[in-house]
Amino acid sequence: MENCVFCKIAAGLIPSTKVYEDDKILAFKDLNPQAPIHVLVIPKMHMDSLEDITEDTSAEIAYIFENIPVIAACAGIRNGYRVVSNCGPDACQTIHHLHFHILGGGKLGEKLA
Ligand code: 5GP
Ligand code: ZN
């Protein structure tokens, strides 16, 4: 995807602070952290959002979730975390490449929205 910021980050064309990377996924620090530790996890394969997950791509997403505990530990999160994916306009999704926020590193607010 030519104009996708997260595809560019995955390709190394835009710098990021990497937390974890393998051939399928990349985790990096959010530019504007909303928690003491705020990491984004993306599949390297472009998908717009959760709405794009199909039978053919769901294994990529399962793989992300298999690795979230590892990524949280790599990021230095020790005492719990929250995982969020904003999907579509009402959820205020701003980057249209599927991503999961991992928020932790301190006590989070009780409300989700
Ligand atoms: P969304 O609102 O789409 O769920 O979240 C997009 C997130 O990406 C935001 O938290 C924003 O701070 C982060 N972000 C946007 N552009 C960049 C960037 O170029 N680098 C990094 N590291 N994070 C970004
Ligand atoms: Zn993309």
Side-chain angles (χ1 to χ4, degrees):
M1 290 291 285
E2 230 168 76
N3 285 317
C4 172
V5 173
F6 286 178
C7 279
K8 287 183 180 166
I9 287 177
L13 300 172
I14 294 177
S16 67
T17 305
K18 291 179 188 176
V19 170
Y20 175 91
E21 182 172 22
D22 63 28
D23 56 331
K24 293 193 183 75
I25 65 178
L26 174 65
F28 53 96
K29 296 271 180 80
D30 195 291
L31 208 56
N32 292 302
Q34 294 185 45
I37 301 175
H38 185 171
V39 173
L40 300 171
V41 192
I42 62 168
K44 289 188 172 178
M45 169 199 288
H46 180 92
M47 301 176 217
D48 279 7
S49 75
L50 290 172
E51 292 275 299
D52 278 358
I53 300 170
T54 66
E55 227 174 25
D56 289 339
T57 57
S58 61
E60 305 288 327
I61 310 311
Y63 184 76
I64 288 178
F65 279 84
E66 283 168 34
N67 281 283
I68 279 177
V70 176
I71 293 165
C74 287
I77 295 174
R78 299 275 173 262
N79 200 37
Y81 51 86
R82 181 173 295 155
V83 178
V84 174
S85 187
N86 296 320
C87 180
D90 278 2
C92 305
Q93 182 179 5
T94 58
I95 303 283
H96 297 277
H97 178 128
L98 176 62
H99 54 280
F100 297 91
H101 298 258
I102 304 177
L103 302 149
K107 187 78 174 169
L108 303 174
E110 288 179 8
K111 292 187 176 170
L112 280 176

